[in-house]
Amino acid sequence: RRMHFVRGGAHGQELALPAAHWPKMMQEQRFLRGDTGRFWVALSLREAEALRGAIHLAMDTGEPLVPDSRVAVGLRAGHMMIDCVGPPKPAPGGGGGGAISFTAAASVEPFPRAPRLQLDSAVSAFRFIDSQLAFTERHARLLLRMLRLDAPQDRRKWFQDVCGCRRRPQNKLINIKRGGIATAVNVEDEYHLLVQAATLWRVGREMSHRQLGTHDLYHAFNGKRDGYLTCGELAAGLAWLGVKVSEDDLHAFLRGLDSNADGLLTLDEWAAGFPLLAESEPATHEALATLSLKPKQVRELFEGATAKKKEFAPVPPDRLPKVKFKL
C-alpha cells in the first residue's frame, strides 16, 4: 500500500511514498523548515545605508564583517538582493584548520542563498507588518501558516490597529472580502483551504464523470430559481452528487467560491470554480431541468438568515374594494 506522486519530467519518473510515512512527514513538516542560523531583520533607511557601507568596507579590505566570525550578511529590498558579503574561508593550515584569515588576499565564500520558501515567508511577514494589502494567494497562504496560532479576530484587530497608528486607511481591509490579505486574517488555518480545494476537486470530478454542465447543475440546485444559491440548497445538491460534507466543510467550500462574501453563490461564482467544464451537457440537460431538491436544514451564511421573518396578516375581503391602484 503506497501513495504515488507523479512528477512530470523528461524521464517521466514516478515517486512513491509508503502510506505509513505520510502522516509522519506531515506532522514533522520538515519540508517547511528553512536554514537554521539565518535571521531576518527590518532596518530603517539610515541603518540600511550604514550596513551597506560596512559591507563595501569588508569587501574592499578582505576582512570579515564581524571579527572572529564567519557571519554572512545580505541587504535586501523585498526579494531583490542589493548587496551581500559571504563568510571568509578558513585559512589553510592556520591554527589547526579552524583559524580565519583576515588579510586582504583572503578568499571569501559566496553568500549562501536563502531557501525560496523561507525567503517568501520572511518577505510576506514584513509586508504584513508594513500594513500592505496586496498579496498573491501563495504568499497569503505562507502568511496564514505563520499566523495560524493567533485567532482570526486577533489578527484583524492587530492589523487595523497598526494601520491606525501609521495613519493608513483602515477600511480597505473590510472591503477585501476574498483572497490575498483576507485569507491571512479571516481563515483559521490552512486546513480550511485544503477542505475547500478537496471538495472542489471532488465535485468537479463527479460533474465530469456524469457529464453535468456547470450552468445546468447550478439551476438544478437553485430550487427557488432566484440566482442565489444558499447553503441549504448547496448541501442538498452535494448530497445528490454523493459528496458528503459536514456543515463546517460546507461553509468552507462556499466561502472559497463566494467572491463578494455575501453568503450566497451566483451563477458566475459557481462556474468560476470549474473553468475547464462545459456550461451545458446535452446528455443530461433535460434530466437536470426537471430535478427538484429539498434544501437541507443547515446554518446559512448570508446576512439576515437568522432573523425572524415577519408575519403578515391577510387583507380582509371587505377591504379589497377600497384598495386603489394607479398606473
Side-chain angles (χ1 to χ4, degrees):
R1 298 183 176 222
R2 298 185 300 177
M3 299 184 64
H4 296 278
F5 300 87
V6 179
R7 173 179 293 176
H11 305 287
Q13 297 177 347
E14 183 182 78
L15 303 179
L17 178 71
H21 293 179
W22 173 259
K24 182 180 179 180
M25 183 185 75
M26 296 303 295
Q27 290 173 359
E28 294 180 353
Q29 295 190 349
R30 292 184 179 179
F31 54 89
L32 297 178
R33 299 177 185 176
D35 291 341
T36 58
R38 185 183 293 269
F39 302 94
W40 307 84
V41 182
L43 301 177
S44 66
L45 181 58
R46 180 172 295 183
E47 291 170 337
E49 291 174 347
L51 178 60
R52 190 176 189 184
I55 291 176
H56 285 195
L57 183 62
M59 294 170 62
D60 293 340
T61 60
E63 296 184 359
L65 191 64
V66 179
D68 301 325
S69 175
R70 285 176 44 81
V71 170
V73 177
L75 185 62
R76 294 180 178 274
H79 287 82
M80 181 179 65
M81 178 70 75
I82 299 176
D83 265 320
C84 63
V85 59
K89 290 183 178 180
I100 299 176
S101 174
F102 303 123
T103 64
S107 59
V108 178
E109 296 180 1
F111 180 81
R113 295 179 58 184
R116 182 186 175 190
L117 188 66
Q118 191 176 18
L119 173 61
D120 289 347
S121 299
V123 172
S124 299
F126 282 123
R127 294 183 70 247
F128 181 75
I129 296 173
D130 193 38
S131 305
Q132 298 189 29
L133 299 172
F135 287 85
T136 64
E137 282 301 315
R138 180 177 182 275
H139 292 158
R141 285 175 179 252
L142 293 176
L143 188 58
L144 176 62
R145 185 177 296 159
M146 292 182 285
L147 299 175
R148 65 182 183 272
L149 297 181
D150 298 316
Q153 59 269 22
D154 295 336
R155 302 176 212 157
R156 288 194 300 271
K157 185 178 185 305
W158 184 90
F159 190 82
Q160 290 174 340
D161 289 347
V162 172
C163 288
C165 292
R166 303 184 64 191
R167 299 182 181 179
R168 299 283 183 92
Q170 304 176 50
N171 57 346
K172 287 188 176 182
L173 180 63
I174 303 175
N175 298 332
I176 302 176
K177 302 295 185 180
R178 177 175 175 263
I181 187 65
T183 299
V185 299
N186 294 329
V187 180
E188 186 174 353
D189 52 41
E190 286 183 292
Y191 173 76
H192 294 78
L193 301 180
L194 177 63
V195 168
Q196 191 272 335
T199 307
L200 189 67
W201 177 86
R202 176 68 190 283
V203 172
R205 180 174 178 270
E206 291 294 330
M207 293 169 62
S208 178
H209 284 192
R210 296 165 64 169
Q211 293 184 329
L212 303 174
T214 55
H215 288 203
D216 297 341
L217 195 63
Y218 177 86
H219 294 308
F221 288 178
N222 186 214
K224 299 190 300 295
R225 301 294 193 272
D226 59 354
Y228 295 99
L229 192 66
T230 64
C231 289
E233 292 174 331
L234 181 60
L238 295 182
W240 180 80
L241 283 176
V243 180
K244 297 181 180 180
V245 294
S246 64
E247 185 174 293
D248 291 339
D249 295 347
L250 174 72
H251 291 162
F253 177 61
L254 187 140
R255 288 191 180 103
L257 297 174
D258 188 11
S259 60
N260 59 358
D262 62 351
L264 300 167
L265 289 183
T266 63
L267 177 60
D268 292 338
E269 290 172 339
W270 169 264
F274 312 97
L276 301 180
L277 299 181
E279 296 179 357
S280 181
E281 291 283 358
T284 56
H285 175 76
E286 294 184 3
L288 288 177
T290 58
L291 180 65
S292 178
L293 300 175
K294 182 180 179 181
K296 289 186 174 293
Q297 297 295 326
V298 296
R299 182 172 62 88
E300 296 291 346
L301 298 178
F302 62 89
E303 186 176 356
T306 58
K308 186 177 181 181
K309 296 183 179 179
K310 296 182 180 179
E311 297 182 359
F312 298 94
V315 179
D318 57 334
R319 293 192 178 184
L320 288 177
K322 299 179 181 180
V323 178
K324 296 182 180 181
F325 298 93
K326 185 177 181 180
L327 299 178

